[in-house]
Amino acid sequence: MPITRVGIIGTGVMGSDHARILASCVAGAELAGVFDVDQARAVSLAEETGARVFDGATALIADQGIDAIIVCSPDATHSELALACIAAGKPALVEKPLASTVAGAVDVMKAETTGGRRLIQVGFTRRFDPGYIAMKEALASDRLGQALFLHCIHRNAVGPDYLTSELVIASSAGHEFDITRFLLEDEIVSATVASPRASRLAPNRQPQFILLETASGVIVDIEVFVDCIYGYDVRAELVCEKGTVSLNTSPATMLRHAGYDGFETPPDWRDRFKHAYRQQLQGWIDAIHGMPNHGASTWDGYRSMKVTEACLAACRSGQKTAVPVEEMPTFYR
Ligand code: ISE
């Protein structure tokens, strides 16, 4: 089996998680290099995993000992690093969002199309979650009839300080935009956003309630609340003509202890989507080795950015904002 030597740019929460998954349970890959602007953080991960420490993202991408790259640096650097990977002709798994603006996503799409090779996979991990996959299969089986509503809830225990109300849309709600497109195989055509008052425990950003319409006429509502305190809670229910299908949020075991009866809510997404993160990395490596790629493409990253920008405009205007539909380029079919 060929071995792909992977380099990771950004060794914070997600970079370290990917590194540990790669080092422990992905076949056909090895973690070969890491870079972080905080060198001490990169060194500590390198000591744990045996990877080499690089002193710059450019050096890591160009190095002959690195075959493929995972980009986990701050969101604002994603598109620039994706462009550098394309220029070097190396596959990259780029954490979501693909870019911080639609223009940035367009640049990546143009470069990839011009290069003539699909090199970028966007880290929309939920596409690898068994729950969402089962929802998609239930809809496709036609037992339920056509979809009418998709209800989504996205709650984090405590969001990081840098997450503003606006960044929450790209960073958190972006997952919901992508999973809507994945589940319904439909495009989002409009967005409206309303916000309640801020929680007194997180006065610097507001929760969001996003209402989307799809081209075929499905209504999608999304609650995004990144400061719910009690844990990581992601839910989805698809309401169709003859029934519904929803994510089962309870884990395999229930706990009864000291007056408590129920299941524990995971602290964050790494635990909740543990299986999906592994499948995503294995799928990415398998695709590099020639298997079909089931991950989100640059086109998917671009369409999510279009919805993000429409939501930002809707926040400012208080109006429903259109997301013009475009035909998917043949290159991405
Ligand atoms: C984070 O980047 C994620 O990917 C999580 O899934 C999401 O819940 C969180 O809000 C984001 O900041």
Side-chain angles (χ1 to χ4, degrees):
M1 176 187 284
I3 297 293
T4 294
R5 297 160 302 173
V6 177
I8 296 187
I9 301 175
T11 57
V13 173
M14 280 324 299
S16 310
D17 203 52
H18 287 311
R20 288 180 192 123
I21 295 173
L22 259 186
S24 62
C25 53
V26 173
E30 71 181 32
L31 179 62
V34 290
F35 164 72
D36 196 290
V37 282
D38 176 348
Q39 216 199 5
R41 196 158 74 167
V43 168
S44 125
L45 185 64
E47 279 168 1
E48 185 189 323
T49 56
R52 187 175 141 204
V53 180
F54 283 83
D55 58 11
T58 312
L60 180 144
I61 294 170
D63 197 274
Q64 300 225 323
I66 300 289
D67 306 311
I69 295 102
I70 304 182
V71 175
C72 306
S73 44
D75 294 0
T77 64
H78 290 180
S79 57
E80 186 195 316
L81 291 169
L83 287 171
C85 294
I86 294 170
K90 296 189 180 176
L93 174 67
V94 180
E95 265 301 337
K96 38 73 6 198
L98 171 62
S100 44
T101 58
V102 168
V106 169
D107 288 345
V108 179
M109 216 159 43
K110 277 192 187 149
E112 198 178 41
T113 315
T114 309
R117 261 180 82 198
R118 293 265 298 266
L119 288 170
I120 304 296
Q121 179 175 320
V122 183
F124 282 125
T125 316
R126 291 180 183 188
R127 289 177 178 237
F128 297 88
D129 177 65
Y132 282 112
I133 293 172
M135 283 178 77
K136 188 174 168 72
E137 285 168 357
L139 181 63
S141 75
D142 218 26
R143 264 179 310 163
L144 303 174
Q146 286 194 337
L148 304 173
F149 294 105
L150 173 61
H151 304 298
C152 307
I153 287 184
H154 186 139
R155 299 188 190 135
N156 293 185
V158 187
D161 290 342
Y162 69 81
L163 218 54
T164 59
S165 301
E166 294 213 331
L167 283 178
V168 162
I169 293 187
S171 175
S172 308
H175 279 298
E176 310 298 336
F177 306 154
D178 184 67
I179 212 64
T180 295
R181 296 180 62 253
F182 172 76
L183 287 176
L184 303 176
E185 294 183 12
D186 201 358
E187 284 300 344
I188 294 162
V189 295
S190 81
T192 313
V193 182
S195 293
R197 62 188 171 194
S199 157
R200 287 174 300 169
L201 304 173
N204 295 330
R205 62 185 157 234
Q206 284 171 287
Q208 322 269 354
F209 186 79
I210 302 173
L211 197 66
L212 306 173
E213 290 171 314
T214 72
S216 72
V218 181
I219 294 287
V220 183
D221 61 88
I222 306 168
E223 174 206 304
V224 192
F225 181 25
V226 298
D227 299 285
C228 78
I229 307 296
Y230 67 88
Y232 190 66
D233 189 2
V234 165
R235 304 184 206 179
E237 182 184 23
L238 195 51
V239 180
C240 305
E241 292 164 317
K242 293 183 279 179
T244 77
V245 58
S246 41
L247 289 180
N248 190 354
T249 46
S250 50
T253 52
M254 300 295 277
L255 194 71
R256 237 172 246 138
H257 171 68
Y260 171 89
D261 182 356
F263 59 84
E264 289 181 320
T265 307
D268 70 30
W269 55 90
R270 287 169 296 175
D271 195 37
R272 164 65 181 83
F273 288 112
K274 188 164 48 186
H275 179 76
Y277 277 112
R278 290 178 182 182
Q279 293 296 109
Q280 172 180 253
L281 275 191
Q282 188 64 65
W284 177 59
I285 293 296
D286 290 347
I288 291 172
H289 297 162
M291 311 274 279
N293 189 336
H294 300 291
S297 67
T298 304
W299 168 255
D300 298 313
Y302 160 76
R303 285 302 300 178
S304 270
M305 275 318 296
K306 289 284 275 191
V307 182
T308 298
E309 281 205 352
C311 286
L312 294 176
C315 282
R316 291 180 206 119
S317 68
Q319 306 292 315
K320 174 158 122 178
T321 304
V323 188
V325 185
E326 298 152 282
E327 206 173 318
M328 192 199 299
T330 336
F331 185 73
Y332 290 108
R333 291 213 183 115

